[in-house]
Amino acid sequence: MKYLNLTYIVAFTGYFSAKARSLYISRALQGAGDGALEWHIVPRENPASDFPSDFELLHIRQASPRSLLTLEDHPYIKRVTPQRKVFRTLKYIPSPEPAAPCNATRGTQKWQSWQSSRPFRRSSLSLGSGFWHATGRHSSRRLLRAIPRHVAQILQADVLWQMGHTGSGVKVAVFDTGLSEKHPHFKNVKERTNWTNEKTLDDGLGHGTFVAGVIASMRECQGFAPDSELHIFRVFTNNQVSYTSWFLDAFNYAILKKIDVLNLSIGGPDFMDHPFVDKVWELTANRVIMVSAIGNDGPLYGTLNNPADQMDVIGVGGIDFEDNIARFSSRGMTTWELPGGYGRVKPDIVTYGSGVRGSGMKEGCRSLSGTSVASPVVAGAVTLLASTVLNRELVNPASMKQALIASARRLPGVNMFEQGHGKLDLIRAYQILNSYRPQASLSPSYIDLTECPYMWPYCSQPIYYGGMPTIVNVTILNGMGVTGRVVDKPIWQPYLPQNGDNIDVAISYSPVLWPWAGYLAVSISVAKKAASWEGIAQGHVMVTVASPAENDVGGELTSTVKLPIKVKIVPTPPRSKRVLWDQYHNLRYPPGYFPRDNLRMKNDPLDWNGDHIHTNFRDMYQHLRSMGYFVEVLGAPITCFDASQYGTLLMVDSEEEYFPEEITKLRRDIDNGLSLIIFSDWYNTSVMRKVKFYDENTRQWWMPDTGGANIPALNDLISVWGMAFSDGLYEGDFTLADHDMYYASGCSIARFPEDGIVIAKNLKDQGLEVLKQETAVVEGVPILGLYQTPSDGGGRIALYGDSNCIDDSHRQKGSSSPGTKRLTDWSMARGLGTADLCHDPIVTLHPKICATQRALPDKCIQQQLEWCGRMPYRDERTGCRFHVHV
């Protein structure tokens, strides 16, 4: 039996005194039947320690899994999760089971041993002469780095100041690195509290001071709400260290102090950090308006940070003073819903976050950038807006968000996953908020699959009969109350003169709206009668929301909202033009520790972008669309789609296992003409033991749950054709034809049919480098395999041992070099199903048949794209012939 020596967060079902909490834990552990168990409650000396609490810190020496389960069996204990250390470096930069039914979600993953999604610290990776020292950039919440104009007046705060509104009477909390006692910029610091293990309230970094200044500075670089009541929560040390328990205690204290607005210029990708997320929900349920930075992981998609990605939080992205989306600003969609559903629109709003002036650590002003700057801009604006409303009962997290997004100015040429609802407009928000009546609203407020670029990716591909349903995940905002419900069932009303009966709309929704929000998932598909029709179809969905009336007046408040829907329908494309992306077998972080596919990415070691065609494979998707392909997403087992409708099934970086029924069906599908392309990645158990993280708090090593891809599962899938990937680990530069290539931590092909085509190259043995710190070059590493199945009319199979070449997240963050862009253009422009699966035309036009590729570029490239569509090696119409360069 494995024994653990850990500190745990024991969450209770309610708030209890310290004596009661100790009694419950004692009785629960007595039931474990382990009299030798050593445990003690860790003292927490902070301003919240004198009040009842809903959690306790418990240190157990040599805890068994059984003792933890016994703890959770206690009726007053809700959850037990390991206490976790948050370590971030802040740098300022100048300016197999039975197959699931087809209509079911995957359900609970097989990670029951993970009481919380990330009970591990990512402190080091092994490579070279020692361990990699990971920054932990994605291990937990962090101060979102501020990358270095007077923003309040640019947004016309002075208009409201002249009307007498300066933030008076509004309590605003800054959770950051503290503030010095006698800073000259602040006149109404109500309270400074320290939640760290350092004996100081002062800011030793300057980050917290800058954030507080943007909100409430009264001179020089003036903030939005200089007369607001400022509450400073020091939750990070000068070394940027924090613990989950520090935040939980500080959040509880904020609720006790009846804070109105709370700014969090921090974030992390872990939306399954249960204690943290639960407490954020509790905060907003207590009418605290939380504003949080969306993250500095742009321009990549699928990089939203938590808690800004929560429905009840105002998530803020950054723009520069020319109204361009800042490159550093994280992009949507949210990845909570993957792989079974589709993400929601975030950020909610964008504002200035580049080159903004704010308070210096001791005095004066400084200029910084980052979403950690954009967040206090909105928090300051929210504080100022709240002070303008006479009836403060109307101001709550939902009504404030409704006012902000309804008044936001749409930025031209920018999609909704970059800008949310648009740029903050303070004066319009003031006008809306001061005429506000409690109501429900939707985000987005309409669905228009024809509106580009704002509605990207929905507008990037028309819908057609037989295609996978298009899912739009809409957020319901309920300004009438913290709790609500959808009355009856949302109703789809097609506009018959506008061909609305040519689409079918299915709807699922939150049974309860809490806190302040819920979801409305709209699934759109084409009716059979429109299989050959082309045109625009329209209609709307009606939703009625009810909430209990507040102030004990009884009854319910109701609000009915209309969601217009507009789609473009085209005739069903031919099979050869339809590509199916297997999303179901991609496991997104954070159910477990999944390392990067490229082991050289030392400072960004976690695979957390969702592995979706609209997140980190966005460029690949765009290139396929530009070449005329229709790309659909499979969010269910392989047994759940009609393979006769698709030319190619695309599997990239799969981590999940395959059901036996899936393996059987796929073999049958390929025999009947479906082609399969697999981009694999590394998997080596010895390397996995080396590439691990040490949790400094729990003093425990955490092993990866898989490598870059689940090679054993993939080998089970393809073994019937005599194919297999190896556990080798290779990297290196090489040339194919006249193009430079890079193989990044990929595997090799161990077995392939003799009548297939195999491409081999000389590469470095990266596994040897990781394990023994030795360097060796291996000649003739097979990396690409192409195979025509022997059955009459059978499909083709292509294997490639590395997926980094089509994954946007493996580029240098914040930039894309011309070389990288060119290589990506080669890989996607030449398309799916060719032998040049990664950046290079291995299958090219024979020079004697087509003198140059420039002569017939469109037709010749088209023939390469049709390789998996069983096109002949010679096209009699164009005279193009394929030739393999080895």
Side-chain angles (χ1 to χ4, degrees), residues 313-590:
V313 175
I314 299 172
V316 184
I319 60 174
D320 62 21
F321 286 103
E322 285 72 45
D323 288 351
N324 301 308
I325 299 294
R327 289 191 64 82
F328 56 73
S329 186
S330 290
R331 271 71 164 168
M333 59 185 163
T334 63
T335 55
W336 293 54
E337 300 80 4
L338 299 179
Y342 197 84
R344 287 169 285 108
V345 175
K346 282 278 183 169
D348 294 301
I349 197 169
V350 294
T351 192
Y352 300 122
S354 183
V356 173
R357 287 177 59 79
S359 299
M361 187 163 63
K362 298 298 182 183
E363 59 183 1
C365 301
R366 63 192 301 196
S367 293
L368 298 175
S369 301
T371 53
S372 61
V373 172
S375 179
V377 170
V378 171
V382 166
T383 303
L384 179 58
L385 288 169
S387 71
T388 70
V389 181
L390 293 178
N391 183 4
R392 294 286 175 86
E393 290 297 316
L394 293 176
V395 180
N396 59 55
S399 64
M400 183 60 73
K401 181 184 283 193
Q402 288 172 328
L404 292 177
I405 65 179
S407 61
R409 298 281 185 178
R410 181 84 58 84
L411 299 177
V414 181
N415 71 56
M416 60 186 178
F417 288 145
E418 293 180 304
Q419 67 169 311
H421 294 268
K423 172 188 173 183
L424 171 67
D425 189 320
L426 182 63
I427 302 305
R428 287 183 67 186
Y430 162 76
Q431 294 167 348
I432 290 176
L433 197 60
N434 278 269
S435 61
Y436 179 81
R437 295 293 179 269
Q439 60 189 273
S441 64
L442 303 174
S443 171
S445 59
Y446 65 95
I447 299 172
D448 186 348
L449 273 61
T450 70
E451 182 186 4
C452 270
Y454 181 71
M455 280 280 171
W456 187 94
Y458 297 110
C459 65
S460 64
Q461 180 169 292
I463 63 175
Y464 41 85
Y465 174 69
M468 293 291 172
T470 296
I471 301 172
V472 183
N473 206 338
V474 177
T475 298
I476 305 173
L477 294 172
N478 178 22
M480 298 179 292
V482 65
T483 62
R485 63 184 177 88
V486 174
V487 178
D488 299 323
K489 183 180 180 180
I491 302 172
W492 161 242
Q493 297 180 348
Y495 301 161
L496 297 182
Q498 284 78 37
N499 309 298
D501 56 340
N502 282 336
I503 56 176
D504 297 322
V505 175
I507 302 166
S508 61
Y509 54 92
S510 304
V512 176
L513 309 181
W514 183 91
W516 309 104
Y519 70 86
L520 181 74
V522 181
S523 177
I524 306 170
S525 56
V526 177
K528 185 176 182 179
K529 68 175 186 176
S532 301
W533 183 78
E534 182 172 358
I536 304 296
Q538 299 184 62
H540 70 254
V541 173
M542 296 294 292
V543 185
T544 299
V545 175
S547 280
E550 296 185 356
N551 301 322
D552 300 321
V553 298
E556 282 188 324
L557 300 176
T558 61
S559 177
T560 299
V561 190
K562 181 170 70 173
L563 179 71
I565 297 177
K566 181 180 181 181
V567 303
K568 180 181 180 180
I569 300 174
V570 298
T572 303
R575 178 184 188 184
S576 62
K577 286 295 184 182
R578 294 178 63 181
V579 176
L580 189 61
W581 169 276
D582 178 18
Q583 184 70 34
Y584 183 78
H585 296 93
N586 289 337
L587 293 181
R588 54 91 175 101
Y589 172 84

Side-chain angles (χ1 to χ4, degrees), residues 692-709:
K692 56 188 176 182
F693 285 104
Y694 183 68
D695 185 335
E696 295 180 3
N697 183 58
T698 63
R699 297 179 178 86
Q700 203 175 7
W701 289 101
W702 292 93
M703 296 288 297
D705 290 299
T706 185

Side-chain angles (χ1 to χ4, degrees), residues 78-92:
K78 178 169 64 175
R79 184 182 295 114
V80 180
T81 55
Q83 156 83 324
R84 299 183 299 170
K85 182 179 181 180
V86 180
F87 183 86
R88 294 301 178 203
T89 300
L90 181 66
K91 296 181 179 178
Y92 298 114

Side-chain angles (χ1 to χ4, degrees), residues 642-702:
D642 180 4
S644 67
Q645 300 298 310
Y646 298 92
T648 304
L649 175 63
L650 182 55
M651 294 181 174
V652 179
D653 192 18
S654 302
E655 292 104 357
E656 182 61 285
E657 297 179 353
Y658 299 89
F659 304 126
E661 297 90 337
E662 292 182 289
I663 297 173
T664 301
K665 179 179 181 293
L666 184 60
R667 179 182 182 182
R668 184 171 61 249
D669 292 341
I670 291 177
D671 286 343
N672 292 325
L674 177 71
S675 289
L676 172 67
I677 297 179
I678 297 177
F679 288 85
S680 183
D681 252 296
W682 70 273
Y683 183 99
N684 183 289
T685 55
S686 298
V687 172
M688 288 165 61
R689 282 191 290 269
K690 274 282 190 179
V691 182
K692 56 188 176 182
F693 285 104
Y694 183 68
D695 185 335
E696 295 180 3
N697 183 58
T698 63
R699 297 179 178 86
Q700 203 175 7
W701 289 101
W702 292 93

Side-chain angles (χ1 to χ4, degrees), residues 194-427:
N194 177 38
W195 305 86
T196 74
N197 55 12
E198 293 181 340
K199 303 301 181 182
T200 180
L201 293 165
D202 292 343
D203 182 6
L205 292 173
H207 192 272
T209 304
F210 183 93
V211 169
V214 172
I215 296 172
S217 172
M218 67 175 180
R219 58 170 58 95
E220 294 184 89
C221 34
Q222 193 165 1
F224 285 83
D227 288 322
S228 61
E229 189 176 292
L230 200 57
H231 293 251
I232 303 298
F233 290 72
R234 189 174 188 270
V235 292
F236 277 90
T237 69
N238 289 333
N239 292 324
Q240 300 127 60
V241 174
S242 186
Y243 287 85
T244 301
S245 62
W246 295 355
F247 275 98
L248 300 184
D249 271 330
F251 283 153
N252 282 340
Y253 194 69
I255 295 173
L256 286 168
K257 289 294 182 176
K258 299 186 182 300
I259 294 297
D260 299 307
V261 181
L262 192 155
N263 181 79
L264 276 177
S265 288
I266 67 166
D270 191 354
F271 48 78
M272 289 179 65
D273 180 356
H274 297 298
F276 191 97
V277 171
D278 286 352
K279 190 57 65 176
V280 169
W281 284 336
E282 186 179 348
L283 274 164
T284 58
N286 280 275
R287 307 182 73 89
V288 179
I289 301 172
M290 181 174 287
V291 183
S292 187
I294 205 67
N296 288 352
D297 296 294
L300 301 178
Y301 282 69
T303 54
L304 302 175
N305 282 210
N306 179 267
D309 62 349
Q310 293 184 216
M311 291 184 286
D312 53 321
V313 175
I314 299 172
V316 184
I319 60 174
D320 62 21
F321 286 103
E322 285 72 45
D323 288 351
N324 301 308
I325 299 294
R327 289 191 64 82
F328 56 73
S329 186
S330 290
R331 271 71 164 168
M333 59 185 163
T334 63
T335 55
W336 293 54
E337 300 80 4
L338 299 179
Y342 197 84
R344 287 169 285 108
V345 175
K346 282 278 183 169
D348 294 301
I349 197 169
V350 294
T351 192
Y352 300 122
S354 183
V356 173
R357 287 177 59 79
S359 299
M361 187 163 63
K362 298 298 182 183
E363 59 183 1
C365 301
R366 63 192 301 196
S367 293
L368 298 175
S369 301
T371 53
S372 61
V373 172
S375 179
V377 170
V378 171
V382 166
T383 303
L384 179 58
L385 288 169
S387 71
T388 70
V389 181
L390 293 178
N391 183 4
R392 294 286 175 86
E393 290 297 316
L394 293 176
V395 180
N396 59 55
S399 64
M400 183 60 73
K401 181 184 283 193
Q402 288 172 328
L404 292 177
I405 65 179
S407 61
R409 298 281 185 178
R410 181 84 58 84
L411 299 177
V414 181
N415 71 56
M416 60 186 178
F417 288 145
E418 293 180 304
Q419 67 169 311
H421 294 268
K423 172 188 173 183
L424 171 67
D425 189 320
L426 182 63
I427 302 305

